């Protein structure tokens, strides 16, 4: 079964180390100190995507961070493709 929708958001922000790729989706995780942010955005996104039978993952490049996600079930989808 193919995913209902595949989407992505690309940011030209700072690189995210591979060791943090899973951790950033946990509540209250912030990779940089910021009093203006609670560290909840990505955990909320993950909950929304998962409630719609989807997956979310990050692809981090030297000068950009790309978050990809799909809604719906796809047994062939790989959250770590290149």
């Amino acid at each position: 079964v193919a995913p209902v929708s595949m989407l992505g958001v690309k940011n030209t922000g700072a690189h995210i180390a591979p060791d943090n790729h899973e951790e950033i989706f946990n509540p209250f995780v912030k990779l940089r100190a910021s009093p203006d942010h609670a560290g909840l955005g990505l955990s909320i996104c993950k909950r929304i995507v998962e409630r719609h039978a989807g997956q979310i993952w990050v692809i981090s490049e030297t000068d950009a961070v790309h978050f990809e996600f799909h809604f719906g079930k796809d047994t062939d989808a790989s959250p770590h493709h290149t």
Side-chain angles (χ1 to χ4, degrees), residues 45-81:
C45 290
K46 182 179 179 181
R47 289 187 70 191
I48 292 169
V49 169
E50 288 178 345
R51 286 188 184 228
H52 292 279
Q55 291 180 292
I56 186 169
W57 59 94
V58 62
I59 299 169
S60 185
E61 302 165 354
T62 304
D63 60 349
V65 177
H66 192 174
F67 293 95
E68 293 185 352
F69 52 98
H70 70 75
F71 294 104
K73 295 183 180 185
D74 183 358
T75 56
D76 295 328
S78 172
H80 304 289
H81 73 281

Side-chain angles (χ1 to χ4, degrees), residues 12-23:
T12 56
H15 171 76
I16 298 173
D19 293 346
N20 294 321
H21 284 192
E22 296 296 323
E23 180 184 4

Side-chain angles (χ1 to χ4, degrees), residues 24-42:
I24 59 172
F25 293 102
N26 293 328
F28 304 109
V29 170
K30 298 190 294 184
L31 299 182
R32 291 166 233 350
S34 173
D36 298 330
H37 302 282
L40 291 172
L42 289 173

